[in-house]
Structures are given as C-alpha cells and as structure tokens.
Amino acid sequence: MPFNSRLNVLIEVAQALAVFIGGLLAEVSFELSYLIAILMAIGSLSVALQFKEPMIHETQERSSVKDHFQQCFIMMKLNRRLLAMLLYFPLMMTFTTVIYFYAQAYFSDFSYSKSTISLIFLVNGLVSALGALLAEKVERWCQGKAWLFVPLSMSVMICIFGYVEAKVGIFVFCLINFLSAILYPISSVYMNEETPSEKRATIISVSSMMFSLFSA
C-alpha cells in the first residue's frame, strides 16, 4: 500500500496557512475572521452541490447501512490486529489533538500576541508537512516498527511539554506535531492493508468515531 505523501503534505500546508491567516485576522477583528470563514463555507457548499453522481450499473445486491456496519464489526472481531489499530492510533491522535488545540491558550499564558502565535502555528504546519513527507522513509528506517517508536517519542514530548519554558515549548510543540504528521499516514497504510477495499470507507468511519469518543 503506497504512502499518499503529497496529499498529506498539502493538507498540512493548507491547515498551517488557514491558522496563520485566521490568527492575523483575529488580531484585527474576530468578527471579520468568522465572517470570512462563513463566506468560504458557503462557497464550498455551493461547489459541492454541483457534484453529480456517476451512473453505475450495480451487479451486486445492495446492503443496508446496518448490514454494512455489522459486517465490519464481525471483521474486527475476527481480525484482532485491525481492532487494536482502531483503538491504538485514534488514542494517540487524541493526545496530540488536545495539545494542538490548547497550545493557543498555552502560548497566550506566556504573553505572546495573536500574530506571534499565528506565526508559531505556521512554522508548526510547515514542520508537520515535512513530517508527512518523511513518513515513508521513517517507516523504512524503523524497519516496520514506526507504529511503536513514533508514538513513544510523541509520549515523551507530551510529558515534558508542560514543564519547559516558552521558547523550548515552541520547539517541543512543533516536534509533537511533526511526529503526529508522520504517524497519520503510517496508520492509514496499516489499516488499509488489513481491510478489504469494499470495507475501507466504513472502517475509516469507525476510526473517526473512535477518535471522537476518545476526544470526548
């Protein structure tokens, strides 16, 4: 299963630019940043409504959503490795996501301005993009054990994040998200290898559901 590094890099860069621009707008006016976000959402929705479903001649019987999920849960019951992945990877991503969203308040406590925090998040996004680009190489360097070594490194960084001064905290914050960006494509490849193609969309939905449950 190949790594889709280019897509992951584009996502990281887009998120970095969005946070950076949003932070600069918030320095001027929160209302302006929310207004632009609403306008962009409306524009995206208008484009999405123009999509048309391709005509497909189905040769197999259609199953209900309930049946589809039941089959997936049966598959997870029979494949303990896949079940472990659906618990392990979302749990690790939950910790890094909490760090990411609370970092703004963390840096605000050190009296950083909104524009400075936006710049930190921009650098963080570019570093994360580099992590996504290096994911395949890291997997080779770790000889197939990146699923273990990367989360262990993340855990150490998370533990020391709250005990360092601001300047070191910026470095640790970027390193946490760098490692998280490496782990995400690796986790996707692992789960795709364990999942039949016709069940992958549902397994991704289950993974997202597990992430939401852990985050709650």
Side-chain angles (χ1 to χ4, degrees):
M1 180 64 63
F3 283 70
N4 196 348
S5 299
R6 185 175 297 179
L7 176 60
N8 291 315
V9 168
L10 289 174
I11 291 172
E12 295 292 346
V13 171
Q15 288 178 340
L17 290 174
V19 174
F20 177 65
I21 295 171
L24 295 180
L25 290 172
E27 190 79 77
V28 177
S29 170
F30 273 112
E31 289 79 5
L32 179 60
S33 61
Y34 280 117
L35 177 60
I36 292 177
I38 292 171
L39 292 175
M40 292 184 66
I42 293 173
S44 300
L45 181 60
S46 64
V47 173
L49 291 175
Q50 303 302 314
F51 294 160
K52 294 183 179 180
E53 290 285 345
M55 297 298 295
I56 300 176
H57 299 286
E58 296 184 3
T59 57
Q60 298 180 346
E61 294 184 3
R62 298 181 64 180
S63 58
S64 66
V65 174
K66 180 181 178 181
D67 292 337
H68 200 54
F69 272 95
Q70 282 181 338
Q71 292 171 13
C72 288
F73 280 113
I74 291 172
M75 181 178 65
M76 287 187 290
K77 185 177 180 180
L78 296 175
N79 189 342
R80 297 299 178 88
R81 178 179 168 84
L82 176 61
L83 178 60
M85 290 178 186
L86 289 170
L87 295 173
Y88 177 68
F89 289 121
L91 180 61
M92 293 306 305
M93 294 301 178
T94 298
F95 287 111
T96 58
T97 301
V98 169
I99 293 291
Y100 182 86
F101 283 110
Y102 279 95
Q104 182 176 349
Y106 171 81
F107 291 122
S108 294
D109 289 341
F110 288 104
S111 301
Y112 284 126
S113 66
K114 293 184 180 66
S115 57
T116 302
I117 294 173
S118 299
L119 183 60
I120 293 171
F121 273 78
L122 176 62
V123 173
N124 170 74
L126 297 177
V127 170
S128 297
L130 178 62
L133 189 63
L134 294 176
E136 189 171 3
K137 291 183 179 179
V138 172
E139 174 68 1
R140 289 201 302 267
W141 292 338
C142 295
Q143 299 180 349
K145 298 292 185 182
W147 63 270
L148 175 62
F149 295 128
V150 173
L152 281 176
S153 302
M154 287 166 52
S155 300
V156 173
M157 293 299 104
I158 290 172
C159 288
I160 68 175
F161 180 57
Y163 296 96
V164 294
E165 57 185 31
K167 292 181 180 179
V168 180
I170 295 173
F171 172 77
V172 175
F173 172 68
C174 291
L175 185 55
I176 290 171
N177 288 282
F178 172 78
L179 294 169
S180 178
I182 292 175
L183 185 62
Y184 181 77
I186 290 174
S187 66
S188 297
V189 169
Y190 282 3
M191 286 192 286
N192 285 339
E193 287 177 345
E194 296 291 329
T195 309
S197 57
E198 67 274 10
K199 297 292 190 299
R200 282 176 188 162
T202 309
I203 290 299
I204 291 173
S205 298
V206 173
S207 178
S208 298
M209 180 183 68
M210 297 303 297
F211 172 76
S212 299
L213 288 174
F214 287 137
S215 299

